[in-house]
C-alpha cells in the first residue's frame, strides 16, 4: 500500500485525489487549512450578491465517494524529503511514499502603507462575507452622500468585480430604500492597460464594456498608500472607505520556510523536472509549480491529471511520460458579456457567456464529478443576501 500525501485542497490537490480514488493499493491523505474547497472562478460572483455556496464547497462532501481519501484540516509547516515526512502546525507528523505540494498562492500588498489594514479582499469566502457586510453597513449608515468604490488590479478578478459591483450596490440601495447616495466605481491599474494577461483586442473589449457600466478606469496609476478615508495614488487621491484589493499574489510561504529543500524559479515559483517533481518522491503542482501557464485553474487540473498517471505508472513499473503545459483557453466575464481567448484569437460578446457557463460546468465537474457538479452549477446564477434582514424581506 502506497501513501500519497497531498498538501493543499485546491484544484490540483482535489483533482489528484479524485483521479486516485479507485486505486486499491493507494491510501491518500489530503491536508488543507480549511474544511472547504474554494472554487475561485465563482468568488467574484459571490462577492456581488450570488450564492456563496457555489464558491465554498465542503471537501468531505466533494470526496464522499472516495473511500481511500482521508481529509485532515491542518497546515503543513515543514517537509523532510530525506525521511519522507511532513510536519504540521499542530505538531503531528505524516509520512509519505509520494508527496504533492499544491498549496496555492497568497495575497501580497507589496508593502504599500495601509492596504493590509483598510482594503477588502475577494480571494477567500471570509473576505467576501466581510466585504458584503461592509457594503450593506456603509450604505445603511450613510457615512457620506457619495460612495466611491475602488477596485485595485485590472486582471481577470478585478475586471469581473468592477463590472458587477455597481449593479450589486444599486440593488442593495434599492432594498434598503437608500435614494440619496451617489455611487462611483473606479478600476485602478499600475500598468498601461487593463487585462494584461490577454491580448490587446480583449483588453479593449473589456474597457468598452466597463465604461458602458460607468466604471472609471485609471491606468498607469500606482497605489502609494491608504487611510481609512482615502486612497493615495501616483495620480492623486480618491476619497473612499471602500477599497477592494485584487492585485498581488506570491507563492505560499511554506516554500520560503523550507527554502533549503526547493529551488526557486521566476515569479518565486518552484522549479520542477519533466515529471513535475522537485525531488524523487515530491511533486509540486498548481500555482506553486514553475510551468509555462501555471496560475490558471485549468492548468492546475492538468497537473493533477498528470501526477495521478505518473504515480500509477511508477507503482506499476510502467514507462513514464513527460509533462508539458497545454496552451490554455481563457474565458473572462465582464458584466453582461464574456471574453474568450485561445492563443492569438479572441472574441467577446453575450454569446460568449454560453462558453463561460459551459466552462464553469466543466470546472465543477473536474473536482466534483458530473452529478454533484450539475447540482452546484444549476444554482450558480442565483442571488443570495439572506443573511441581511432587510434584503431577505424584499
Amino acid at each position: 500500500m502506497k501513501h500519497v500525501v497531498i498538501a493543499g485542497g485546491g484544484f490540483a490537490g482535489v483533482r489528484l485525489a479524485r483521479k486516485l480514488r479507485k486505486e486499491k493499493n493507494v491510501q491518500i491523505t489530503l491536508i488543507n487549512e480549511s474544511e472547504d474547497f474554494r472554487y475561485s472562478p465563482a468568488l467574484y460572483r459571490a462577492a456581488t450578491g450570488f450564492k456563496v455556496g457555489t464558491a465554498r464547497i465542503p471537501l468531505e462532501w466533494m470526496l464522499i465517494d472516495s473511500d481511500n481519501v482521508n481529509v485532515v484540516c491542518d497546515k503543513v509547516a515543514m517537509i523532510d524529503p530525506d525521511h519522507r515526512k511532513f510536519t504540521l502546525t499542530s505538531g503531528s507528523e505524516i509520512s509519505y511514499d509520494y508527496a504533492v505540494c499544491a498549496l496555492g498562492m497568497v495575497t501580497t500588498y507589496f508593502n504599500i502603507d495601509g492596504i493590509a489594514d483598510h482594503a477588502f479582499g475577494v480571494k477567500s469566502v471570509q473576505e467576501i462575507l466581510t466585504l458584503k457586510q461592509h457594503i450593506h453597513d456603509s450604505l445603511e449608515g450613510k457615512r457620506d452622500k457619495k460612495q466611491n468604490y475602488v477596485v485595485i488590479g485590472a486582471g481577470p478578478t478585478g475586471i469581473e468585480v468592477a463590472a458587477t459591483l455597481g449593479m450589486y450596490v444599486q440593488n442593495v440601495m434599492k432594498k434598503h430604500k437608500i435614494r440619496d447616495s451617489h455611487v462611483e466605481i473606479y478600476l485602478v491599474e499600475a500598468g498601461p492597460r487593463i487585462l494584461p494577461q490577454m491580448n490587446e483586442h480583449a483588453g479593449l473589449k473589456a474597457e468598452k464594456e466597463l465604461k458602458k457600466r460607468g466604471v472609471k478606469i485609471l491606468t498607469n496609476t500606482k497605489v502609494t498608500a491608504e487611510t481609512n478615508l482615502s486612497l493615495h495614488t501616483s495620480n492623486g487621491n480618491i476619497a473612499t472607505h471602500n477599497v477592494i484589493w485584487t492585485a498581488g499574489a506570491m507563492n505560499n510561504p511554506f516554500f520560503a520556510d523550507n527554502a533549503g529543500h526547493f529551488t526557486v524559479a521566476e515569479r518565486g515559483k518552484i522549479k520542477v523536472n519533466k515529471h513535475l517533481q522537485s525531488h524523487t518522491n515530491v511533486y509540486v503542482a498548481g500555482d506553486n509549480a514553475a510551468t509555462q501557464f501555471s496560475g490558471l485553474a485549468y492548468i492546475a487540473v492538468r497537473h493533477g491529471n498528470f501526477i495521478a498517471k505518473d504515480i500509477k505508472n511508477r507503482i506499476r513499473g510502467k514507462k513514464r511520460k513527460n509533462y508539458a503545459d497545454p496552451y490554455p483557453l481563457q474565458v473572462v466575464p465582464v458584466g453582461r458579456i464574456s471574453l474568450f481567448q485561445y492563443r492569438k484569437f479572441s472574441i467577446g460578446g453575450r454569446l460568449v457567456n454560453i462558453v463561460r457557463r459551459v466552462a464553469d460546468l466543466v470546472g465543477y465537474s473536474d473536482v466534483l464529478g458530473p452529478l454533484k457538479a450539475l447540482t452546484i452549477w444549476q444554482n450558480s446564477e442565483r442571488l443570495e443576501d439572506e443573511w441581511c434582514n432587510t434584503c431577505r424581506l424584499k
Side-chain angles (χ1 to χ4, degrees), residues 31-91:
I31 306 166
N32 197 56
E33 284 189 69
S34 167
E35 296 177 350
D36 299 319
F37 169 84
R38 182 184 64 192
Y39 185 78
S40 50
L43 283 171
Y44 87 93
R45 290 200 297 272
T48 53
F50 292 90
K51 291 184 72 66
V52 173
T54 62
R56 178 182 59 194
I57 309 171
L59 283 167
E60 290 283 3
W61 181 72
M62 296 175 74
L63 297 166
I64 198 169
D65 57 350
S66 308
D67 294 336
N68 65 340
V69 179
N70 178 40
V71 177
V72 174
C73 189
D74 208 327
K75 182 179 179 181
V76 292
M78 295 169 52
I79 187 171
D80 184 347
D82 294 330
H83 296 92
R84 296 187 185 180
K85 67 179 181 180
F86 282 109
T87 301
L88 311 185
T89 54
S90 63

Side-chain angles (χ1 to χ4, degrees), residues 33 75-78 103-108 249-259 262 268 270 288:
E33 284 189 69
K75 182 179 179 181
V76 292
M78 295 169 52
L103 294 159
M105 307 293 273
V106 297
T107 299
T108 178
M250 60 181 288
N251 212 357
N252 195 286
F254 167 81
F255 297 100
D257 294 341
N258 292 268
F262 298 99
I270 303 305
N288 303 143

